[in-house]
Amino acid sequence: MTPRTATLIGLTAILMWSLLSVMTVATGKIPAFQLAAMTFAIGGVVGLLTWIGRSEAAKSLRQPLAVWVVGVGGLFGYHALYFLALRFAPPAEAGLLNYLWPLLIVLFSSFLPGERLAAHHIIGAVLGLVGTVLLFAGNTSGFAPGAVPGLIAAFIAAFVWATYSVLSRRLKAVPTDAVAGFCLATAVLAALMHGLLETTVWPETTVQWLSVIALGIGPVGAAFYAWDIGMKRGDIRVLGAASYATPLLSTGFLIAAGYAKASANIAIAAILIAGGGLIAAKDMVLRKR
């Protein structure tokens, strides 16, 4: 697989994650950790289904403890912190701090062997950050002292996901098949958190059940496998900068579904984020064939 192909596969994860918000809304009032347990279980099964006919795939679970700590710590740690952030802090502020992770991925990538951080990577990432700030600017609901734990959790979540993503590159020898194990372990931990903190609420309609299944197959399933391929074999700097398209596309899907309204802020943010992504991906887009 060429780096270009791996990067394109990684970009599909960004597209799938942009559907996370609208799909989550469609699931109804299922508690956060219960939804995580259900969808990560489905995502793990999606990975196991790809093992059919490949008896050697099961060997991918035989990894050192450090690999499991990175894999499960990244998936469960990030989502637990983000859910905590949404529990205590206003969604806009929590989302803005959380979306520091694309910029952190671009910056952290400079510490990887053989990777070089060029000016256009930094410019693209910063433009994406500015666009994201603008995207959230019209949705802030004020700052309250009680929101501090949530804001801190969102900030730490950004570092956790960026660290997990960049360390995936260092663990390049670990097969993507192992992500199925990380998803299933995350589902178990999320189920335990649900039992401790939440009251079970099952989907009430067929649409809600289908939304849960779709979440597990796509944004909380295939997306993690695609991201793993992109991080391990693609251009990590391009993927980091392009990740700023996630909140923009997510807002677009919410508008299309009638859950949000279009605005001038969104239009300007779209230009900044798209422009930043193109600048960061200059080497890949303009590469001579």
Side-chain angles (χ1 to χ4, degrees):
M1 182 182 296
T2 66
R4 184 187 182 92
T5 299
T7 301
L8 291 174
I9 291 174
L11 291 174
T12 66
I14 295 172
L15 179 61
M16 284 185 275
W17 284 332
S18 68
L19 291 166
L20 183 64
S21 295
V22 69
M23 285 186 176
T24 299
V25 171
T27 61
K29 298 180 179 180
I30 303 173
F33 281 109
Q34 180 189 344
L35 184 60
M38 295 170 70
T39 53
F40 270 103
I42 294 171
V45 171
V46 168
L48 295 181
L49 289 176
T50 68
W51 293 9
I52 296 175
R54 297 188 299 122
S55 57
E56 76 284 355
K59 297 179 181 178
S60 65
L61 299 182
R62 299 175 186 172
Q63 301 297 333
L65 178 61
V67 173
W68 281 92
V69 169
V70 171
V72 179
L75 294 182
F76 176 75
Y78 169 76
H79 287 86
L81 284 166
Y82 189 51
F83 291 156
L84 182 65
L86 294 178
R87 194 184 193 103
F88 290 100
E93 285 84 345
L96 183 56
L97 282 173
N98 175 63
Y99 270 104
L100 286 172
W101 66 259
L103 177 61
L104 292 174
I105 287 178
V106 174
L107 297 178
F108 289 174
S109 69
S110 63
F111 296 103
L112 293 171
E115 297 291 341
R116 184 177 64 86
L117 196 60
H120 62 277
H121 296 128
I122 298 176
I123 292 172
V126 170
L127 282 176
L129 178 60
V130 172
T132 301
V133 169
L134 186 60
L135 185 64
F136 283 94
N139 298 317
T140 53
S141 54
F143 176 80
V148 171
L151 295 174
I152 293 174
F155 185 71
I156 297 174
F159 277 84
V160 168
W161 188 252
T163 301
Y164 162 75
S165 297
V166 174
L167 285 179
S168 293
R169 183 65 152 233
R170 297 298 298 266
L171 300 175
K172 195 173 182 178
V174 177
T176 296
D177 288 326
V179 175
F182 303 156
C183 286
L184 292 174
T186 297
V188 172
L189 291 174
L192 291 174
M193 292 297 291
H194 166 64
L196 291 172
L197 302 173
E198 301 171 338
T199 300
T200 302
V201 177
W202 295 110
E204 298 177 346
T205 67
T206 301
V207 171
Q208 290 179 1
W209 274 110
L210 290 175
S211 296
V212 170
I213 294 171
L215 269 176
I217 293 174
V220 192
F224 291 120
Y225 301 102
W227 188 248
D228 189 72
I229 292 172
M231 286 293 104
K232 288 177 177 175
R233 300 176 177 83
D235 191 323
I236 194 170
R237 301 152 304 180
V238 170
L239 289 170
S243 296
Y244 277 116
T246 306
L248 178 66
L249 291 172
S250 177
T251 302
F253 285 124
L254 287 170
I255 291 172
Y259 295 121
K261 294 182 179 180
S263 69
N265 274 14
I266 293 175
I268 298 172
I271 295 172
L272 288 171
I273 293 173
L278 286 174
I279 291 172
K282 179 175 71 72
D283 295 336
M284 188 176 78
V285 175
L286 300 180
R287 182 178 298 163
K288 294 182 179 179
R289 297 182 179 180

